[in-house]
Structure formats: C-alpha cells, structure tokens
Amino acid sequence: MTILTLRSVTRVACAGFALMGLIPVIISAQSREIPRTAAGHPDMNGIWQTMGNAHWDIEPHTARPALAMQPGPVVPVPANEVLAFGAVGSVPSGYGVVVGGTIPYLSNALATRDENREQWLDRDPEIKCFLPGVPRATYMPFPFQIFQSDAHVAITYEFATAFREIYLEDPGEPQVDSWMGQSFGQWDGDTFVVRVNGMLGDTWLDRAGNFTGFGTTVTERYTMISRDHIMYEAEIDNPETFSEPWTIRMPLYRNIDPNARLGQFKCVEFVEELMYGHLRKNPIRGNGS
Amino acid sequence: MSHSRFPPAPRRSAPALVATLVLALLPIAVAAQSSDWVLPRLPDGMPDLQGNWSNATMTPIVRPPGLGKVLTPDQVTALEQGRQDFIAADYEDSDPNRGAPPAGGQLTGDPIFDAATGGTGGYNQFFVDAGDNIAIYNGEPRSSLIVHPEDGRRAAFTDEGQERVAQRVAFNQQFDQYDNPENRPLAERCIMSFGSNGGPPMLPNYFYNNNYTIVQTPDAVMIMTEMVHDVRVILMGEPQRLPKHMRPWLGDSWGHWEDETLVIETTNLHPDQVLMGMSNASFYPSEEARVIERLTRVSEDQINYEFTIQDPTVFTDQIRGEVPFNRLDGLLYEYACHEANYALENVLRGARSQEERERNENQQDWR
C-alpha cells in the first residue's frame, strides 16, 4: 500500500501545475496542426463517430439487463420481445454526456420520459428506422460524414441515410417542420456554431426515452481540438419541456483508416416485417388481423 | 380528359408564336452567354458544380415513334402548350353535379400521372412538379433523353438478358401484387426514389422532387437526391471496388476529373434497383453493369449530364443519354417518406379487407 507523504503530494501538485502551464502551449500547437480550408476555417471534412454509450442513455447510468423489462419472481427480467438477444441486448453502463449530469425536465415532461422508457419498444423512433433528428444523429452507433467547402456544408449519416445541409446564410424561419430540422451555421472564431430548429416533436435523444419535444432549438458547437478530434457540444432549449437550457458534450473521433468510407444502412426495408408483417396475405407470425 | 405525353399540336396562339421566336433565338443566346461566362472554380482549381439542381423535364427517357433526335420549334411549342393546357384543365373547378367516376378511376391518358393517381384523383397538379419544358441540351430541344442507340430507345436484350427478365417475371407471378410489402414497388416502400431519381443514371421521374444538392470536397463529391434523401458519396481517386457480393443501393461510385468534366463510374449496382424507371426502357442491372456519368458545367445555370450504361450481360449495345441539370433557386425539402407511409400500410390493409369480404360472400353463397 502506498502512503503519500506531504512532500510527495506537493511534488505531484507542483508537477501538475507545471503541466497546466504547458496546456495553452499544447493547445496552441494543436491549433496550428488543425487542417484548414482555403478560407482559413478548420477543415472538418471526413468521417466521424463518437465513442461511448450515449446512444443508450445520455444520462449517467449503470448497466442493466435490457431496455425492455418485465416483472420477475425475484427481480425484473428482460421482456419476452428482447429475451432472445441475451447479453447482446443488455445495456452497457455510461457516465453520461449531460453537462451537470441530469436533464432539467419539467415535472410533466419527466413523467413522459418515464412513460417513454416503459414503452420503449412501441415508441422509440429508432426501432422503426425513423430519421433520428439532431443531436441524436450525432452519437448513434454509426459514423457520419461531413462535406465542407467554403460555400457549402452538409452532413450525411450512415443511419437511415439521414441528411442535412447546414445553410451558411440564414434561411429565415423554416417553411415546414421536418425530422432533421433546418440548420444554419456560422463560424465563431474556429468554432462552427449551428442553430437547428423546425424539428418535429417526435424525435428522441436516446434509447432511454429522453426527448426534446416540439419547438426545440438545438445550438451545436463543433470545435476541432486536433486534426482527428472535434469537441461537440449541443445546447438544447425548449421551455415547454425543460426548466432551463442544458448542454451535452462529447468528443467526435475521425476514422483515420485511409480506406474508411461511409456504409449504407437503409434500414427501412429491415423493419417492414415489424411494421407491416401482420398485413401480409399469410402472416409469418400468425397474427394477421 | 385525354392527354398523352406528346399530344397533337394545338392551334397556335399568339403566346405560342412568341415562344417559337424565343426558341429560335435560343442558340444565339446560349452562344452569347458562353462567350462571357467564366467557369466557376473551387480553390483547388476544379470546376464548381455545387448547389441545387433539377433535371425535371417533359422530354421522356425513350423517344416516341416518329420523332427525330432534335425537335423543331413548332414541335416544342406544341408539346409545351399541350402541357400547359393539361395543367390548366386540371386547375379548373370541378363540376359539382358530375357523376361518380367509372370503376377503376378516371384515367387521363398520361401513363405516369395515371400510375401515380390511379385515376382516382389522389394527386392533382397542385402536388405535381413534373417538368413543363422540353430538355434543351447543347442548345438543341430534345425528343428523348436517350441518344444512343440512335433511335432513342433502349438497346435490345441479349438472350441472357431476356432469360433474366423471364425469370423475374416467373418469380413475381408466384404472388399477387398486394400479398406482401416486398411485392410493392421500391418507391411505394420508401426504399428508393421512383423513376431512377437517385440513379445512376440520375433521371427525372416526371412527377415531382426532381431535385439534387451537390457539395464538393477535394476527396469526395456528395450528391443528395431530394426524393428519399438518398445520398451518393462519390469518392475521388483510384477506385478500390467493393467485393462483388456487396451491391448496395445506388452502387459503388468513384470519380475523377477529365479536364473540366467530373466522371463518375459506378459498379456493384443492387440487383433489385430499377434503372431508367418511369419509362419502357427500365431494367434490372446485372452484376456486370457499369454506369459512367459525366457532369460538365456549361453555364451558370446548367450542367450537362451525360450517362452511359454498359451491361453486356443484359444488352447487345450500350445505352447513352444526355440530360440537362438546371440550377434550382430555392431550398430542398426533407422527403421523409417512410415516417408517414400510410399508403403502403393501407394498400396491404385494403387487400386483406377485400379478401375477407370475398371470403364472407363466398361463405354466404355456400349457405
């Protein structure tokens, strides 16, 4: 067992302070390494993906047997619909990406979140391959690709071929609401700030029932902190759902494989049996109506 | 009301004469623009193809019988006026005292419009943005988008190609068209855009949403098709092809520049993807199919889009086509088709309901 003496603590602390003094130098050096476009903006072109388990639950959570549970004789057990998945369907733990740890739901919105969680199989848009909205698209367990020129920015996501163009001139109020919303981006120094509004109220934030509701404004901040890392933040504001604006934060990692390319996950056809199987002439599941 | 894609020439009105004169001046206008216009370029020197574009046109993929490759000004006037008449008629108030439509719906004679509406009035012109002008390519008003074979029609099938068609027909005949979701068209299932919009080749669907967004980077060109928000990522450089068994929707596309032209070569096309849909030239690509597309910015407002289909397993000849992509001022919409696809569910539900009714009727007969 190691016992730290006051002297050793002091040495470590001094070393720590010394290192902290170097941080601006390191960041400055990193800034110089950031690739830039002809116009001098950080060049984010490439394939990116998050690490971690925010797609399961953006709040801190311990591992649990499954997303859908049912009462058991001793403790709750996985629901019949997901039982066959075994450990593959279990939820890994996560330390959360919500700054401050907890989403500031209004009481009725919190009740809706809890209902969502209870009825995940029926309600989660991801299960039906619906477009994920923002910011959920960012941290789904699929990569996405940023296409950035000085006049245009677009992001295409592997999941469901979700797409959004980020307009560099303010398009005004959205003409119609949509799943991925309307995005307007501006550079704030080296940070690309994107205002997303006009989203339908049906999108979720994760598989744990967290949601934003109709009328949400998401303000994203993309800051390259090295050639291969972007610090991603999204402030979420909806006074109908939350007591105050709140923020998620996580790093995005570049896929540095020189052969990396975005895959195709057009999942619409994968969910046809789930959504329409009961309407077959001869239902496979024997539940035709 | 009857309407064909190329109706007979109506009596020419004063506006039609003006249109004829304008068309006669068109080559001069194009030439004047080309002498002043400077090709926009990106910082790396490549031509700038970015922005929103539309390939909507009333020029069909396949040339109608009796027409040459290039239409005369009179033919253009007649066709475009016919289109306007069709639209105007559709906008007229309905007769409140009209009778019920005939069983099967009131067909208009426009095969694509009728296919989409079933002649039941599911859509009217308010919802339609089919393309109301003849395609002008290199200053020529065209009668078809296919330019090779020279008759503007699909090349003949090989024996193997015919056998494949027969096999697919035989497979499909196992089912009624409403038995399963997989028996419905890809567009109705919201898997692909109809009419080969997503491509390749990227062709108009003669109905709506013929819009595209292009964003270029040095390493990749992104082409987003508005319908079904299908995104093609064209990787630039020496192709590293997918294994033959990987055949994604939209295929495996690689690009390179030849002078001022972006050349895209696509292989590994999905076996169930219909190419050149919305025409009687549609076909399913074989595993050997290759589509070569050439995009050349020829003015501020137009990209010349040329495509070549090479599929020697299916066709005795290659097929080549030319399509103008015209600049689109305005933003594209999100085509979130699957998220509210009541149609597919109700089509299947309707079939099951009809079957149940027939069962009940038979039972009553038996009693």
Side-chain angles (χ1 to χ4, degrees):
Chain A
M1 182 175 165
T2 304
I3 299 174
L4 290 177
T5 63
L6 178 61
R7 178 174 293 181
S8 65
V9 169
T10 305
R11 279 180 188 155
V12 171
C14 286
F17 282 122
L19 283 174
M20 286 178 70
L22 288 175
I23 285 174
V25 178
I26 294 168
I27 290 176
S28 175
Q30 284 176 337
S31 299
R32 285 198 298 273
E33 292 173 4
I34 291 172
R36 292 183 181 275
T37 66
H41 296 305
D43 184 348
M44 302 186 293
N45 276 301
I47 298 174
W48 303 88
Q49 192 166 356
T50 59
M51 292 176 67
N53 295 318
H55 59 284
W56 291 98
D57 188 344
I58 61 174
E59 290 185 304
H61 61 276
T62 53
R64 51 186 186 270
L67 286 170
M69 304 290 288
Q70 62 181 332
V74 182
V75 295
V77 296
N80 293 344
E81 295 92 333
V82 298
L83 189 58
F85 285 105
V88 174
S90 299
V91 181
S93 70
Y95 297 103
V97 294
V98 178
V99 175
T102 307
I103 301 170
Y105 281 111
L106 296 171
S107 58
N108 58 341
L110 183 61
T112 301
R113 191 284 303 271
D114 292 344
E115 286 173 15
N116 287 344
R117 191 169 290 183
E118 285 292 315
Q119 299 180 46
W120 166 70
L121 278 168
D122 292 328
R123 291 190 180 183
D124 186 351
E126 181 190 1
I127 289 176
K128 296 187 177 72
C129 184
F130 288 178
L131 290 168
V134 180
R136 190 179 189 183
T138 308
Y139 49 83
M140 294 189 81
F142 295 87
F144 58 90
Q145 187 160 358
I146 298 177
F147 297 87
Q148 177 193 353
S149 68
D150 287 330
H152 297 270
V153 177
I155 306 179
T156 181
Y157 303 85
E158 186 168 308
F159 179 81
T161 344
F163 170 86
R164 61 183 174 135
E165 180 167 4
I166 300 175
Y167 304 117
L168 301 182
E169 292 181 11
D170 190 348
E173 283 300 304
Q175 294 183 36
V176 291
D177 296 314
S178 59
W179 286 81
M180 297 301 291
Q182 176 177 282
S183 297
F184 165 49
Q186 290 178 295
W187 287 96
D188 177 10
D190 277 353
T191 296
F192 191 50
V193 182
V194 183
R195 181 198 68 205
V196 189
N197 59 1
M199 281 187 286
L200 294 163
D202 301 322
T203 51
W204 280 21
L205 291 166
D206 54 25
R207 297 171 179 167
N210 288 306
F211 73 106
T212 54
F214 182 77
T216 298
T217 298
V218 177
T219 305
E220 302 173 284
R221 298 176 65 85
Y222 296 80
T223 308
M224 288 193 88
I225 54 175
S226 79
R227 172 176 291 274
D228 299 321
H229 301 86
I230 293 173
M231 186 55 71
Y232 176 80
E233 288 185 351
E235 183 192 76
I236 297 165
D237 186 14
N238 186 343
E240 300 293 320
T241 310
F242 309 109
S243 60
E244 59 183 345
W246 55 284
T247 301
I248 59 173
R249 181 184 300 139
M250 68 200 82
L252 308 178
Y253 298 84
R254 182 194 297 277
N255 189 330
I256 61 170
D257 182 345
N259 298 319
R261 54 195 292 189
L262 209 62
Q264 186 179 79
F265 193 74
K266 284 170 78 73
C267 48
V268 170
E269 59 181 318
F270 305 155
V271 299
E272 284 184 332
E273 175 57 25
L274 172 71
M275 296 179 68
Y276 312 117
H278 63 293
L279 294 171
R280 291 183 188 278
K281 184 172 186 178
N282 299 303
I284 299 167
R285 290 173 283 164
N287 60 349
S289 54
Chain B
M1 179 179 62
S2 118
H3 172 79
S4 68
R5 189 135 289 277
F6 276 175
R11 290 172 56 192
R12 290 165 67 185
S13 62
L17 285 171
V18 172
T20 306
L21 287 171
V22 169
L23 277 162
L25 292 172
L26 199 59
I28 300 170
V30 170
Q33 185 181 28
S34 62
S35 62
D36 300 334
W37 176 72
V38 177
L39 175 65
R41 294 182 184 279
L42 296 174
D44 63 2
M46 296 298 110
D48 187 348
L49 307 176
Q50 298 183 112
N52 296 339
W53 304 89
S54 170
N55 61 5
T57 178
M58 60 183 292
T59 296
I61 294 170
V62 174
R63 188 172 309 154
L67 292 177
K69 174 184 170 184
V70 180
L71 297 169
T72 67
D74 281 353
Q75 288 172 321
V76 172
T77 302
L79 293 167
E80 294 188 339
Q81 188 59 51
R83 177 77 191 163
Q84 291 306 317
D85 292 345
F86 178 57
I87 294 170
D90 197 64
Y91 269 108
E92 286 176 4
D93 292 340
S94 302
D95 176 4
N97 299 315
R98 69 192 184 282
Q106 186 93 47
L107 300 182
T108 66
D110 182 313
I112 292 173
F113 196 78
D114 288 339
T117 66
T120 57
Y123 289 91
N124 60 22
Q125 290 296 332
F126 177 82
F127 296 95
V128 176
D129 183 18
D132 305 329
N133 296 101
I134 293 296
I136 307 292
Y137 197 93
N138 288 341
E140 299 175 347
R142 295 290 180 82
S143 63
S144 64
L145 301 181
I146 293 179
V147 296
H148 180 90
E150 289 190 359
D151 62 0
R153 306 181 73 79
R154 182 181 63 189
F157 282 127
T158 60
D159 291 344
E160 168 75 15
Q162 284 181 325
E163 176 61 22
R164 288 180 178 227
V165 171
Q167 285 175 0
R168 190 174 283 273
V169 168
F171 178 82
N172 289 337
Q173 282 176 342
Q174 301 174 82
F175 311 100
D176 183 83
Q177 60 177 325
Y178 304 112
D179 281 359
N180 301 285
E182 296 88 348
N183 297 129
R184 304 302 307 152
L186 292 173
E188 189 174 300
R189 297 160 65 193
C190 298
I191 292 173
M192 296 294 294
S193 53
F194 56 79
S196 198
N197 245 183
M202 301 182 290
L203 298 178
N205 62 43
Y206 304 100
F207 208 69
Y208 52 32
N209 295 92
N210 294 290
N211 305 324
Y212 302 82
T213 295
I214 299 177
V215 180
Q216 288 171 255
T217 77
D219 302 322
V221 176
M222 187 226 64
I223 305 177
M224 196 280 292
T225 306
E226 183 175 43
M227 188 176 284
V228 196
H229 50 84
D230 264 331
V231 175
R232 299 177 65 192
V233 178
I234 317 297
L235 299 173
M236 303 299 288
E238 188 63 30
Q240 298 175 46
R241 292 289 176 188
L242 294 174
K244 283 200 166 185
H245 71 276
M246 290 183 70
R247 298 175 67 180
W249 303 108
L250 309 166
D252 177 22
S253 297
W254 289 81
H256 65 274
W257 290 95
E258 289 181 7
D259 299 324
E260 314 291 31
T261 297
L262 173 64
V263 182
I264 305 169
E265 296 196 23
T266 301
T267 60
N268 298 65
L269 284 154
H270 196 292
D272 293 330
Q273 184 175 341
V274 182
L275 304 189
M276 296 201 296
M278 288 303 193
S279 77
N280 56 13
S282 62
F283 74 102
Y284 293 96
S286 80
E287 55 280 8
E288 303 299 330
R290 176 181 295 266
V291 179
I292 301 159
E293 301 159 281
R294 302 173 65 87
L295 285 79
T296 310
R297 182 91 178 254
V298 294
S299 75
E300 191 60 25
D301 298 323
Q302 187 169 322
I303 290 173
N304 274 2
Y305 175 76
E306 178 189 340
F307 68 89
T308 303
I309 298 170
Q310 299 172 342
D311 195 345
T313 303
V314 173
F315 293 120
T316 56
D317 194 359
Q318 63 181 14
I319 301 166
R320 201 168 68 75
E322 294 173 338
V323 189
F325 274 52
N326 298 306
R327 173 167 290 285
L328 179 72
D329 291 324
L331 308 180
L332 271 60
Y333 288 107
E334 178 183 83
Y335 192 95
C337 172
H338 166 66
E339 288 74 1
N341 192 359
Y342 306 113
L344 179 57
E345 180 168 346
N346 288 335
V347 162
L348 296 172
R349 193 181 297 282
R352 301 297 82 80
S353 175
Q354 187 171 347
E355 288 162 2
E356 186 178 3
R357 190 173 62 191
E358 287 169 359
R359 274 196 302 271
N360 291 339
E361 286 171 359
N362 290 339
Q363 213 164 30
Q364 285 171 0
D365 291 346
W366 182 76
R367 285 172 184 163

